[in-house]
Amino acid sequence: PALPRCWVVVCKPEFAISTPELFARIDSVRLRCRPDTDGLLSALEEGDLGGAARRMYNVFEDVLPPRQRDRVGELENALIQAGALGANMSGTGPTAFGLFDCPEAAEEARAVLAENCRDMEEARGTISDVMLDRLYLDEKRLAGMAEGIRALTALPDHPAQRHDHLQAAGAHGPHRHYL
């Protein structure tokens, strides 16, 4: 069955993967998961793009080296956060793709991901790989930052807390500022 009408956004990470190496790896491990081929075919027969997108799975992701697997996963997550109905690695990778049900969402995702890629490429070579990694933002890192800020501002002696307390008490006079 044909894939229902959709728009595809493709993201190529900054590294290559050896296809023969992945085939050798896949032959040497017990796979933890397999694609739901029957479910995927049923979704395609019904013209259910979302159902097909949710059933996509690529066993080659299971045998990628850890850093590469993490990077492909970050791209897939970025595509899903940008509105893809599903995202996966293409073939033996490392390219990831996301399926979108409308052109506007696909174009916005493409633009955001392209800008992020440009920012990272401009920094590459001018700063160390460690610093480049620290600049990379994904959903997990942003969530961690937000949680850290919430925890900091919840501290009883945080400046925002002191300021609110002074305001509430109607205190006047010099204020202490903390950096």
Side-chain angles (χ1 to χ4, degrees):
L3 187 64
R5 183 177 173 101
C6 63
W7 289 261
V8 180
V9 175
V10 177
C11 299
K12 169 91 171 70
E14 57 283 348
F15 57 86
I17 295 176
S18 165
T19 297
E21 182 182 323
L22 283 185
F23 271 100
R25 285 179 179 218
I26 211 159
D27 289 339
S28 68
V29 298
R30 182 180 176 137
L31 296 173
R32 62 186 170 99
C33 194
R34 297 225 177 244
D36 177 10
T37 305
D38 291 337
L40 179 60
L41 289 172
S42 293
L44 290 174
E45 287 170 358
E46 295 169 10
D48 178 7
L49 179 62
R54 285 188 302 276
R55 287 173 175 81
M56 295 186 305
Y57 184 76
N58 188 334
V59 296
F60 284 106
E61 288 186 51
D62 291 343
V63 296
L64 289 173
R67 285 184 65 102
Q68 293 176 339
R69 182 176 49 241
D70 290 347
R71 181 67 179 124
V72 170
E74 289 168 358
L75 291 173
E76 292 170 345
N77 287 335
L79 286 161
I80 289 170
Q81 292 298 318
L85 299 176
N88 213 340
M89 185 173 81
S90 175
T92 56
T95 302
F97 69 94
L99 300 180
F100 293 81
D101 60 359
C102 73
E104 297 81 13
E107 177 53 31
E108 184 169 335
R110 186 211 57 79
V112 166
L113 293 168
E115 188 63 33
N116 185 327
C117 184
R118 266 193 298 282
D119 290 345
M120 296 295 286
E121 283 304 314
E122 285 179 17
R124 195 175 313 283
T126 62
I127 60 175
S128 71
D129 286 346
V130 170
M131 290 303 293
L132 189 62
D133 182 62
R134 291 184 73 185
L135 289 174
Y136 178 75
L137 295 178
D138 62 12
E139 191 67 24
K140 182 178 178 181
R141 286 186 180 180
L142 288 172
M145 289 177 185
E147 182 56 36
I149 291 168
R150 282 196 274 303
L152 179 65
T153 59
L155 294 173
D157 64 344
H158 186 272
Q161 297 290 335
R162 289 179 184 265
H163 180 72
D164 291 345
H165 174 71
L166 291 172
Q167 292 279 336
H172 299 288
H175 297 281
R176 294 182 70 183
H177 297 280
Y178 300 90
L179 297 178

